[in-house]
Amino acid sequence: MRKASIILGFAFMMLMTSSCGTIYRKIKYSSKDIQISNPCAGETGLDFKIVSLIGDKDEQTLTFTGKFINHDVNKNVSVGGNFVSYDMDGNGHNALRDVKAYKALTDTWVKFSFRVPGKLVPKRNKQMAVIAFDIDDCRIELRNVPIIWKKIEKEEK
């Protein structure tokens, strides 16, 4: 009976350890510390949610992922215009070239992502102080966005 309890306890610990990263990410991005300014939110505008800010430890780059929902008529929406970002040391990462247009159907979530320009040192950068960009005519501003640093597996070509 004691061996069974030890094995069961060990299996439970392994399960909790392997799923800890997922729980950690969900907690980080539901944090009250992230301040989101979206003047277009509501029935007649555009709602926005941050999905993640993932840092590649080896490449020292960041990939921002978000999603928006258009409450207006079907239209093409550009994402990433007037991009501005600063790390916690005040260094600017502002030369975004990935402005893209997305087909936004009424009341349907659209997921997007772009690479934040420049490189950052993982040990010194745990969050971005500011990330601001346009989604169509709406200015989105995020403050204190935590970075989830991890090793990203590269695909073999």
Side-chain angles (χ1 to χ4, degrees), residues 95-107:
L96 182 70
R97 294 185 183 116
D98 291 345
V99 178
K100 294 182 182 173
Y102 296 87
K103 181 73 173 173
L105 303 177
T106 304
D107 295 331

Side-chain angles (χ1 to χ4, degrees), residues 57-69:
K57 280 186 175 182
D58 294 336
E59 297 291 323
Q60 297 181 333
T61 58
L62 298 177
T63 301
F64 179 85
T65 304
K67 62 183 183 176
F68 68 90
I69 188 168

Side-chain angles (χ1 to χ4, degrees), residues 19-39:
S19 65
C20 184
T22 304
I23 292 169
Y24 174 74
R25 281 188 213 111
K26 287 181 182 179
I27 290 169
K28 284 298 233 182
Y29 286 101
S30 63
S31 173
K32 302 279 186 217
D33 294 336
I34 301 174
Q35 299 169 10
I36 300 175
S37 171
N38 177 8

Side-chain angles (χ1 to χ4, degrees), residues 86-135:
Y86 292 95
D87 60 28
M88 296 307 283
D89 293 331
N91 299 317
H93 302 272
N94 303 325
L96 182 70
R97 294 185 183 116
D98 291 345
V99 178
K100 294 182 182 173
Y102 296 87
K103 181 73 173 173
L105 303 177
T106 304
D107 295 331
T108 303
W109 285 102
V110 177
K111 190 174 181 180
F112 65 91
S113 66
F114 51 79
R115 180 170 273 171
V116 175
K119 295 189 178 249
L120 295 104
V121 177
K123 288 185 179 181
R124 289 195 310 240
N125 295 283
K126 301 297 181 196
Q127 64 182 11
M128 290 295 283
V130 175
I131 298 175
F133 56 94
D134 293 343
I135 298 180

